[in-house]
Amino acid sequence: VGPECCDENNYVDFLVNLLKCGNYVTVIPMDDPSAVITSKYKRQIEQYTNVLMPDYDVFCKAFPRTW
């Protein structure tokens, strides 16, 4: 169990550290907040695994923040 998505910096740090230590094929966000963060930090995350998300600028155009 990691930090909540509302704690963005800790969430990304936790995810990157987890990916560094394991052998993961891809990251697939499972809810809206994690999708936003995964897209926003895609470049940092994809150093360790594949990211099935568009770049953040494209994501923002296609998915307006409504929560």
Side-chain angles (χ1 to χ4, degrees), residues 17-33:
N17 287 325
L18 179 69
L19 295 171
K20 284 181 185 179
C21 296
N23 186 21
Y24 298 94
V25 176
T26 193
V27 169
I28 303 171
M30 300 306 290
D31 59 18
D32 292 346

Side-chain angles (χ1 to χ4, degrees), residues 5-62:
C5 289
C6 60
D7 187 0
E8 191 171 302
N9 291 330
N10 285 332
Y11 182 85
V12 173
D13 289 343
F14 172 82
L15 180 58
V16 167
N17 287 325
L18 179 69
L19 295 171
K20 284 181 185 179
C21 296
N23 186 21
Y24 298 94
V25 176
T26 193
V27 169
I28 303 171
M30 300 306 290
D31 59 18
D32 292 346
S34 63
V36 171
I37 293 171
T38 303
S39 182
K40 187 173 182 180
Y41 293 93
K42 179 180 177 179
R43 298 286 177 244
Q44 186 176 348
I45 296 166
E46 69 185 359
Q47 293 178 35
Y48 306 100
T49 192
N50 296 308
V51 178
L52 298 178
M53 291 297 297
D55 291 338
Y56 187 62
D57 60 333
V58 174
F59 180 86
C60 289
K61 291 176 187 171

